[in-house]
């Protein structure tokens, strides 16, 4: 048995376990720390990563002493000694002889390796990587876009690569402002910068939220027929004047050495200028990526294409690649951002550095349920957690019974939390950590956005559909979409039945659910189809705004008290939500009313733990629904809690974590 642990050690840090050439486990650091993107403080990072590694190993009955080889990748390492320093920073007391290193530059190679070795790797394929920024190469250069040709055996061949002539990262803060250079460079960098200019940054950080830009683009029309940010010049892509155009549109101001972004003040300030800017960017982005994908297949002399890097989470782009370039085979690695590089590093080590052949059972990755087990053998503990919170759980006899109960609740118009054994690797909820509801009941999307997710109302939701029914309801450019990485038109004859998953442009981000998908998610959709005639459910990630997707059962139960979920299923355990008006709000230590709306301050002043929320609403003359919505949003912001109800907190690290409310 050969055991390899791969680590990504940039943002979206992650650990992956490869046993005899097969991916046996993988998880992102954000899931175990409760901090989005895994951005914990530098001094806490080694302990956080060590705990993550131990949990991934323990799930397979292994410990650190069982690991034959360790391999790490990061955007910031340029030499063997720097990469060895990454492993040393973890405090991993391993034999130095077991530490492997990727050939540098390593970041894009790890992305590409994840995509190729998790696709059917028995024939050559072209690999294209596009992201916001890659590895540093020497003191002043950084990867921009890269293409490789992979063979079933041996080292991949670099086809072409573009670099930016500086290792700087656009969008870093200077005295509170977001700074960008005058020479924007790279498709991913431009998309990131415009996203930040639109105001889509995670609170307190400079990490962009590019998915929002894609969703917003459907509401607008391109500003210009001519490109403003990304120009295609044969096989070359140029970015002349991109920052200037952003300034001319009022989203940046010039300084002596670059520009300061002037982001939108929030969704309430959005107008057609914002919609049209997003549409312009999305149009140019898609055209440029299509051109590079076509170039990559031509130079590789193959019609098999694999894709990775954060830009390929843009599902509208992926759909165009499939439909217009029509590759013989297309595979987008589901964890396309940096967390997937832990898998890529480990698989590259197995296939290339160690020269091992792919295992006989190796085939295209069909699911990403790779997190440590959280349900198997834990039902008694899960029920004890529910009772500790004052809730009475219901135990179903088996997986099918639980799935049928969940489907019935969704068919009645309830919003259901669906938590199964092993979490998904990557940002998409694919039926293991999902919130489910009816795709056809009018107003469901708005209710879900406002009362459960606490997010912008313009953002659409995805559908999870039985694979054999997908082509009847949607116009797919290929056979399937198992990882929710395609946006497909809803067929007009069915649009009225599934209006809540149909975006303003008539499309829907889609997950096709195969008959052999592990776990009970398929059973939920089958039963929902039997009850309603609609072979799909609305599916969104199990989290609230500003938080990672839940990983532990205690986090899922906490969401019952922190949102308006109606009920929760954890394995075969069903837990009904509490009556929130009967809960007693209590002000959290250290909270104050500075910057709050007057109504929020009034509620917080009454939150002394002595009266239920119902009485507080009556005292203020509010409708009960308003009181619940406001109290839950205050709880999300950690200003208010419920008396005698424990609040889930991530396991303590040795020192204080990065505080998302104060930057870092």
């Amino acid at each position: 048995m050969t055991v390899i642990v791969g680590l990504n050690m940039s943002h979206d840090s992650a650990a992956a376990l490869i046993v005899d050439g097969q991916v046996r486990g993988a998880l992102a650091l954000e899931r175990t720390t409760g901090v989005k993107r895994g951005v914990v403080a530098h001094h806490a990072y080694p302990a956080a990563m060590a705990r993550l590694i131990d949990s991934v190993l323990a799930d397979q009955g292994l410990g650190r002493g069982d690991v034959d080889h360790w391999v790490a990748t990061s955007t910031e390492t340029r030499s063997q000694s720097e990469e060895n320093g990454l492993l040393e920073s973890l405090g991993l007391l391993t034999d130095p002889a077991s530490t492997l290193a990727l050939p540098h530059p390593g970041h894009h190679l790890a992305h590409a390796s994840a995509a190729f070795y998790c696709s059917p790797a028995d024939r050559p394929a072209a690999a294209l990587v596009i992201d916001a920024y890659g590895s540093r190469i020497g003191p002043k250069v950084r990867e921009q876009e890269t293409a490789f040709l992979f063979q079933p055996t041996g080292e991949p061949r670099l086809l072409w690569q573009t670099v930016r002539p500086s290792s700087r990262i656009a969008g870093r803060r200077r005295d509170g402002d977001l700074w960008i250079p005058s020479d924007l460079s790279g498709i991913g960098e431009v998309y990131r910068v415009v996203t930040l200019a639109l105001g889509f940054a995670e609170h307190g950080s400079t990490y962009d939220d590019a998915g929002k830009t894609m969703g917003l683009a459907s509401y607008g029309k391109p500003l210009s027929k001519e490109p403003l940010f990304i120009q295609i010049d044969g096989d070359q892509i140029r970015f002349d004047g991109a920052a200037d155009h952003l300034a001319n549109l009022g989203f940046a101001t010039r300084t002596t050495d670059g520009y300061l972004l002037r982001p939108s003040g929030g969704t309430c300030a959005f107008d057609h200028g914002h919609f049209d800017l997003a549409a312009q960017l999305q149009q140019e982005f898609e055209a440029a990526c299509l051109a590079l994908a076509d170039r990559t297949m031509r130079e590789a002399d193959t019609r098999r294409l694999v894709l990775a890097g954060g830009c390929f989470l843009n599902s509208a782009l992926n759909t165009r690649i499939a439909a217009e370039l029509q590759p013989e085979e297309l595979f987008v690695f589901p964890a396309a951002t940096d967390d997937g590089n832990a898998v890529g590093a480990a698989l590259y080590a197995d296939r290339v550095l160690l020269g091992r052949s792919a295992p006989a059972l190796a085939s295209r990755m069909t699911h990403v349920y790779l997190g440590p087990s959280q349900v198997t053998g834990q039902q008694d503990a899960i029920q004890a957690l529910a009772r500790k919170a004052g809730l009475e759980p219901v135990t179903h006899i088996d997986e099918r019974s639980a799935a049928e109960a969940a489907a019935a609740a969704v068919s009645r118009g309830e919003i259901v939390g669906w938590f199964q054994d092993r979490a998904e690797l990557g940002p998409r909820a694919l039926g293991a950590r999902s919130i489910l509801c009816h795709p056809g009941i009018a107003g469901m999307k708005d209710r879900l956005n406002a009362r459960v997710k606490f997010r912008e109302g313009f953002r659409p939701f995805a559908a999870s559909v039985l694979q054999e029914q997908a082509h009847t309801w949607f116009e797919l450019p290929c056979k399937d979409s198992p990882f929710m990485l395609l946006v497909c038109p809803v067929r007009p004859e069915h649009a009225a039945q599934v209006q809540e998953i149909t975006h303003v442009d008539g499309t829907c981000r889609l997950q096709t659910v195969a008959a052999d998908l592990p776990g009970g998610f398929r059973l939920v959709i089958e039963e929902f189809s039997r009850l309603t005639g609609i072979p799909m459910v609305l599916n969104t990630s199990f989290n609230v705004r500003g938080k990672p997707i839940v990983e532990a059962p205690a986090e899922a139960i906490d969401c019952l008290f922190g949102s308006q979920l109606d009920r929760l299923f954890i394995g075969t355990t069903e837990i009904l939500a509490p009556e929130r008006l009967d809960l007693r709000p209590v002000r959290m230590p250290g909270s104050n009313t500075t910057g709050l709306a007057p109504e929020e301050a009034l509620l917080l002043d009454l939150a002394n733990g002595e009266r239920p929320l119902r009485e507080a609403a009556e005292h203020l003359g509010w409708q009960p629904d308003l009181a619940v919505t406001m109290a839950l949003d205050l709880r999300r912001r950690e200003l208010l809690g419920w008396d005698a109800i424990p609040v889930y907190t991530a396991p303590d690290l040795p020192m204080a974590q990065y505080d998302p409310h104060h930057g870092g």
Side-chain angles (χ1 to χ4, degrees), residues 470-556:
H471 286 270
T472 302
W473 290 72
F474 301 93
E475 297 175 14
L476 274 76
C478 51
K479 176 185 175 183
D480 57 13
S481 176
F483 303 122
M484 208 179 280
L485 287 167
L486 296 179
V487 165
C488 304
V490 181
R491 293 194 180 276
E493 62 269 27
H494 292 303
Q497 292 175 266
V498 290
Q499 58 187 328
E500 299 305 291
I501 53 87
T502 303
H503 198 28
V504 66
D505 60 357
T507 67
C508 174
R509 184 156 50 88
L510 195 62
Q511 175 195 7
T512 54
V513 181
D516 60 352
L517 187 73
F521 187 46
R522 165 91 183 192
L523 298 175
V524 175
I525 306 173
E526 288 176 342
E527 177 64 11
F528 183 79
S529 180
R530 188 187 70 80
L531 293 171
T532 65
I534 301 173
M536 73 192 77
V537 293
L538 186 157
N539 177 12
T540 188
S541 56
F542 199 155
N543 67 315
V544 297
R545 184 178 181 180
K547 297 290 185 181
I549 298 175
V550 299
E551 170 59 16
E555 291 177 86

Side-chain angles (χ1 to χ4, degrees), residues 107-108 111 129-134 143-144 187-189 309-311 338:
H107 186 74
H108 280 189
H111 270 311
V129 179
I130 307 177
D131 58 8
Y133 56 91
E143 291 174 320
Q144 188 168 288
I187 296 169
E189 178 170 274
C311 288
D338 287 7

Side-chain angles (χ1 to χ4, degrees), residues 151-502:
Q151 301 285 350
T153 59
E155 293 192 20
R157 176 165 63 89
L158 179 66
L159 291 173
W160 57 263
Q161 183 174 69
T162 59
V163 298
R164 61 175 58 102
S166 171
S167 63
R168 87 290 183 277
I169 298 174
R172 291 287 174 87
R173 291 195 183 275
R174 286 187 177 180
D175 298 324
D177 290 314
L178 292 169
W179 174 88
I180 62 172
S182 57
D183 59 336
L184 289 179
S185 182
I187 296 169
E189 178 170 274
V190 169
Y191 204 96
R192 164 183 159 78
V193 164
V194 177
T195 293
L196 292 173
L198 287 166
F200 297 144
E202 293 175 7
H203 185 64
S205 78
T206 59
Y207 290 104
D208 62 277
D209 214 338
K212 295 181 183 181
T213 302
M214 187 186 79
L216 193 69
S218 300
Y219 290 87
K221 296 181 180 179
L223 294 162
S224 167
K225 292 182 179 179
E226 299 299 319
L228 302 180
F229 306 107
I230 308 171
Q231 296 90 38
I232 303 170
D233 184 4
D235 282 340
Q236 305 302 312
I237 308 296
R238 296 186 293 104
F239 309 94
D240 305 339
D244 277 337
H245 284 299
L246 205 55
N248 293 339
L249 292 167
F251 288 90
T253 57
R254 294 174 178 84
T255 68
T256 56
D257 63 343
Y259 296 79
L260 297 180
L261 295 181
R262 297 300 181 209
S264 162
T267 56
C268 60
F270 280 176
D271 57 27
H272 284 291
H274 300 83
F275 303 151
D276 295 347
L277 173 60
Q280 180 77 31
L281 174 68
Q282 181 69 24
Q283 174 180 270
E284 295 181 23
F285 168 80
E286 290 177 11
C289 292
L290 278 164
L292 292 189
D294 180 61
R295 174 189 175 187
T296 298
M297 287 192 291
R298 282 190 284 106
E299 293 194 18
D301 193 25
T302 177
R303 301 300 297 172
R304 299 184 72 238
L305 180 65
V306 299
L307 306 170
C311 288
F312 293 111
L313 288 179
N314 192 299
S315 39
L317 164 65
N318 297 336
T319 303
R320 287 194 63 187
I321 291 174
E324 298 178 29
L325 299 185
Q326 297 185 337
E328 175 188 337
E329 186 168 341
L330 175 67
F331 180 76
V332 184
F333 188 65
T337 48
D338 287 7
D339 49 356
N341 276 11
V343 174
L347 287 173
Y348 183 90
D350 185 75
R351 305 295 200 272
V352 179
L353 299 181
L354 299 178
R356 290 165 47 85
S357 299
L361 297 177
S363 60
R364 175 174 170 172
M365 178 180 276
T366 58
H367 71 84
V368 286
Y369 301 149
L370 295 170
S373 175
Q374 295 284 352
V375 172
T376 300
Q378 298 295 315
Q379 292 298 152
D380 289 346
I382 291 165
Q383 292 172 21
L385 284 171
R387 293 190 179 100
K388 183 179 179 181
L391 305 174
E392 189 56 41
V394 174
T395 303
H396 291 276
I397 58 172
D398 57 20
E399 196 174 61
R400 178 172 292 278
S401 175
E404 290 173 350
V410 173
S411 72
R412 295 191 299 267
E414 294 188 18
I415 300 175
V416 168
W418 181 254
F419 183 110
Q420 296 301 292
D421 198 24
R422 306 186 71 188
E424 306 94 335
L425 176 68
R428 306 293 193 222
L430 300 171
R433 301 289 188 274
S434 291
I435 294 174
L436 311 176
C437 63
H438 200 302
I441 295 178
M444 187 61 73
K445 179 178 81 75
D446 293 338
R447 179 183 163 199
L448 185 57
N449 268 328
R451 299 186 179 188
V452 177
K453 300 288 284 187
F454 302 104
R455 68 181 201 174
E456 301 89 346
F458 71 83
R459 296 177 64 185
F461 288 106
S464 296
V465 60
L466 299 177
Q467 181 172 312
E468 64 273 21
Q469 293 288 331
H471 286 270
T472 302
W473 290 72
F474 301 93
E475 297 175 14
L476 274 76
C478 51
K479 176 185 175 183
D480 57 13
S481 176
F483 303 122
M484 208 179 280
L485 287 167
L486 296 179
V487 165
C488 304
V490 181
R491 293 194 180 276
E493 62 269 27
H494 292 303
Q497 292 175 266
V498 290
Q499 58 187 328
E500 299 305 291
I501 53 87
T502 303

